[in-house]
Amino acid sequence: MSNLNTLTNFPLAPLLDRLFEQADAAGSPALAGISREERTRLMHSKTGYLDFYTRLKDLWLPVSRETGVLLYTLARSSKARAIVEFGTSFGISTLHLAAALRDNGGGRLITSEFEPSKVAGAKAHLSEGGLIDLVEVREGDALKTLGVDLPEAVDLVLLDGAKALYNDVLDLVESRLMPGALVIADNAGYSPDYLARVRSPDSGYLSVQFGNDVELSMRLG
């Protein structure tokens, strides 16, 4: 039996260490110019999200190291072969999910990012990590890019883009979720409507908060 663990070996492990360090060091002059009240309003906006995240194009907005390991673990343990990700950024979460696909024997990860500079960065990082062959990075608004050509059955979904759109993106993929499929929402506290949906007893999901900011939901039969 092979002992595959792409996540903790070369070239991915040192690459992720470097990327997390870069993410921690990155700043955004634009963010400093946005008041906390305006930032909160824009994060909850279904109309201003493109402008907001365009202004924050220098921020990496990555998952935490712990959430990255969680993503890999969930994708591995569920033997995921088809994954959809909303919010690529510079590809840190994408690398964790693609590593799980590699160790599961292959598969397809469809991820969406509308900021061109982040698309280019994510593709470069996926190439450096030796995982680009498993990933399709779709550039543009996820409400359009994730509305077409999805696998018939999706095993795992990561929601980590504009928080106001979590419900809308789930609408796009929900019909593809088989019983047992996982939906992970990062920073879910910024999307109260989404939390109310997946936590509702008749939602078709079993949902639990993981850590401080991750909502883990399983699609029921």
Side-chain angles (χ1 to χ4, degrees):
M1 182 177 178
S2 61
N3 184 24
L4 292 173
N5 193 349
T6 301
L7 189 66
T8 58
N9 287 310
F10 182 86
L12 189 55
L15 170 62
L16 284 171
D17 283 342
R18 192 188 84 223
L19 296 182
F20 275 120
E21 289 175 4
Q22 287 181 240
D24 289 342
S28 174
L31 184 64
I34 305 175
S35 69
R36 178 174 295 181
E37 293 77 13
E38 178 70 356
R39 196 183 312 171
T40 300
R41 184 189 71 79
L42 289 169
M43 285 192 72
H44 289 86
S45 172
K46 288 199 174 190
T47 56
Y49 63 92
L50 288 175
D51 174 62
F52 178 55
Y53 285 98
T54 297
R55 289 158 73 181
L56 301 184
K57 65 182 181 180
D58 297 327
L59 276 184
W60 284 54
L61 304 169
V63 296
S64 68
R65 288 178 182 265
E66 294 77 13
T67 299
V69 173
L70 175 67
L71 293 174
Y72 174 85
T73 302
L74 291 171
R76 276 299 304 275
S77 61
S78 64
K79 298 179 174 60
R81 289 300 186 102
I83 298 175
V84 173
E85 178 185 39
F86 166 46
T88 318
S89 192
F90 286 100
I92 287 179
S93 55
T94 319
L95 286 164
H96 285 86
L97 292 169
L101 285 182
R102 175 73 76 218
D103 294 344
N104 285 344
R108 182 183 183 199
L109 194 169
I110 297 171
T111 184
S112 181
E113 173 61 49
F114 73 87
E115 174 55 45
S117 61
K118 289 186 173 182
V119 170
K123 287 182 176 179
H125 298 148
L126 287 160
S127 295
E128 185 177 348
L131 297 167
I132 190 68
D133 59 300
L134 299 168
V135 182
E136 178 187 347
V137 183
R138 297 183 178 179
E139 182 177 332
D141 187 339
L143 296 185
K144 297 177 181 177
T145 62
L146 297 181
V148 295
D149 189 26
L150 295 180
E152 287 298 318
V154 173
D155 302 308
L156 187 147
V157 176
L158 173 61
L159 302 174
D160 196 23
K163 313 311 169 190
L165 300 186
Y166 279 12
N167 266 337
D168 301 86
V169 174
L170 183 58
D171 285 340
L172 295 177
V173 300
E174 189 170 67
S175 66
R176 313 295 180 113
L177 300 178
M178 299 296 104
L182 300 175
V183 183
I184 303 122
D186 198 27
N187 311 121
Y190 289 106
S191 187
D193 291 345
Y194 172 81
L195 289 179
R197 173 180 179 172
V198 295
R199 291 176 178 177
S200 172
D202 58 356
S203 66
Y205 295 92
L206 184 63
S207 196
V208 63
Q209 182 176 333
F210 191 95
N212 294 324
D213 59 355
V214 175
E215 188 77 8
L216 173 59
S217 308
M218 184 181 73
R219 185 68 169 157
L220 300 174

